[in-house]
Amino acid sequence: MSPSRLEENAKKPRVVCLGAPKHAGTQYLEAFGKQFDFEVLDALDRAETKKKLPELIARGGPVNAFIIRMGTPPYEPFDQDLLKALAPDCRIITSASAGYNEFDVDWMSKSGIIFCNSVDAVAEATADMAMFLILAVLRNAFTAERTARSGQWRGQPGILSPARDPTNLTLGIVGMGAIGKYLAKKVAAFNMKVKYHNRHQLPEEDEKAYNATYCSSLEGLLSESDVVSLNCPLNVNTTNLISTAEFAAMKDGTFLVNTARGAVVDEAALKAALQSGKIERAGLDVLCDEPNVDTWFLEQENVIVQPHLGGLTDVAFQKAERECFENIRAYFETGKANSPVNLDKIKE
């Protein structure tokens, strides 16, 4: 058996976390510290990080692995300008987030840095949010609560009833990855039919396990769905994936749920679809330009908005932080990280 990277280096690899990992657990961190020289970079935003990261390296030597926890907006984007002090000694950067559009993965690849995202940590929590929004749009939850809080209780006849029942409705999942699979399992409890569109069709045994039917084209999926849930990553291929033509392909009165990224949807086209009734109601956990979102969506009664809370649960935070550490442990023990994003582009 070939020696691990830990065995090859008498000195412990230096691992730095951007901010204190508050959810991984004290005992877990103590065990990790037996194998690694672990410390925290106490920086609250981008400006502090740009100042303190070079100082930390000058004081204690090169950083071999860098961890980025949840709550990234104060630091974004994670590019060369922010992280250049890590090169050329850093071998791996891990993120607690599933999406990574805010990370300059190309720069990391050119610098020989492996980048890892979180694959499963926030998946079920995000699927829970999608399920919550599906029920909320079907039951017209925003209007119901606003009416009750205003003292009108149910308001004028017909405003709140009848709501749509999920039973026998077809849910179209765009992106059948970890989140989509969790969602498919959950909607089964509400007697919904599941269809999905993916870059690649799942194996037959997986389709049976999730009781999901594959649609080879996005337009075909949209035309057959009563509820559409967006669960795909944001990249150059999925930016504005749902735009005017895609809304036109949908049934009149379709319900739309987005827990992916705001830019997966063309917001101008979504406005038009909401105004025309093509989309009866939308449940959005994500919007473009967060937190400086288009306030139009906040003012609409047929839009239910959450402030990007899909993966923000206590269990998800613990899983996400530990996934970061385990990616690093795996890399230095075996030479292979658990969830590398850029392995095919890396130039070590």
Side-chain angles (χ1 to χ4, degrees), residues 131 134-135 138 165-171 183-194 210-211 226-227:
M131 190 71 249
I134 288 169
L135 294 175
L138 290 176
D165 196 300
T167 296
N168 292 325
L169 294 184
T170 296
L171 172 66
L183 180 58
K185 285 286 191 181
K186 292 174 187 297
V187 300
F190 294 89
N191 304 308
M192 298 186 78
K193 303 171 185 176
V194 175
Y210 298 106
N211 197 25
D226 301 296
V227 183

Side-chain angles (χ1 to χ4, degrees), residues 208-224:
K208 289 182 179 179
Y210 298 106
N211 197 25
T213 302
Y214 179 64
C215 290
S216 59
S217 72
L218 176 60
E219 291 73 15
L221 176 77
L222 299 177
S223 68
E224 298 172 13

Side-chain angles (χ1 to χ4, degrees), residues 234 238-242 258 261-267 286-288:
L234 176 64
T238 60
T239 299
N240 287 338
L241 179 69
I242 307 298
N258 187 8
R261 286 293 189 271
V264 170
V265 178
D266 178 346
E267 289 192 345
V286 290
L287 285 162
C288 292

Side-chain angles (χ1 to χ4, degrees), residues 7-49:
E7 293 170 333
E8 290 173 351
N9 298 283
K11 185 178 180 181
K12 293 180 181 179
R14 191 180 188 200
V15 180
V16 173
C17 185
L18 182 55
K22 301 177 181 178
H23 302 275
T26 302
Q27 291 183 338
Y28 180 89
L29 293 175
E30 288 177 352
F32 185 83
K34 293 178 181 179
Q35 288 182 284
F36 299 89
D37 178 11
F38 174 67
E39 63 186 291
V40 171
L41 176 63
D42 186 17
L44 299 177
D45 56 26
R46 185 179 182 85
E48 284 194 2
T49 303

Side-chain angles (χ1 to χ4, degrees), residues 89-301:
D89 298 290
C90 185
R91 309 312 306 147
I92 180 171
I93 294 176
T94 63
S95 167
S97 300
Y100 48 89
N101 54 290
E102 63 269 32
F103 293 87
D104 188 347
V105 180
D106 286 339
W107 170 75
M108 295 178 196
S109 300
K110 293 173 183 176
S111 301
I113 300 172
I114 292 175
F115 174 74
C116 301
N117 67 334
S118 170
V119 175
D120 188 62
V122 301
E124 186 164 14
T126 304
D128 287 343
M129 175 61 77
M131 190 71 249
F132 165 77
L133 289 172
I134 288 169
L135 294 175
V137 295
L138 290 176
R139 299 302 296 263
N140 199 5
F142 175 81
T143 301
E145 183 166 354
R146 181 192 59 76
T147 302
R149 288 180 180 275
S150 70
Q152 300 180 66
W153 198 232
R154 290 184 180 174
Q156 297 297 319
I159 292 179
L160 298 177
S161 60
R164 294 295 299 276
D165 196 300
T167 296
N168 292 325
L169 294 184
T170 296
L171 172 66
I173 297 177
V174 181
M176 194 69 163
I179 297 170
K181 289 174 181 176
Y182 274 119
L183 180 58
K185 285 286 191 181
K186 292 174 187 297
V187 300
F190 294 89
N191 304 308
M192 298 186 78
K193 303 171 185 176
V194 175
K195 296 187 177 183
Y196 75 97
H197 174 71
N198 231 18
R199 287 180 301 169
H200 305 290
Q201 184 173 0
L202 297 178
E204 183 178 354
E205 57 269 25
D206 284 353
E207 290 188 335
K208 289 182 179 179
Y210 298 106
N211 197 25
T213 302
Y214 179 64
C215 290
S216 59
S217 72
L218 176 60
E219 291 73 15
L221 176 77
L222 299 177
S223 68
E224 298 172 13
S225 301
D226 301 296
V227 183
V228 174
S229 178
L230 305 178
N231 303 105
C232 54
L234 176 64
N235 53 46
V236 294
N237 296 317
T238 60
T239 299
N240 287 338
L241 179 69
I242 307 298
S243 190
T244 303
E246 288 70 33
F247 284 118
M250 297 181 190
K251 299 178 181 179
D252 291 342
T254 294
F255 298 90
L256 177 72
V257 167
N258 187 8
T259 57
R261 286 293 189 271
V264 170
V265 178
D266 178 346
E267 289 192 345
L270 175 56
K271 285 183 181 181
L274 286 163
Q275 290 170 322
S276 70
K278 171 62 75 169
I279 297 298
E280 186 165 341
R281 280 185 289 277
L284 309 175
D285 186 44
V286 290
L287 285 162
C288 292
D289 302 320
E290 298 171 11
N292 303 309
V293 301
D294 186 338
T295 56
W296 184 89
F297 292 100
L298 309 180
E299 298 164 355
Q300 306 309 305
E301 289 203 6

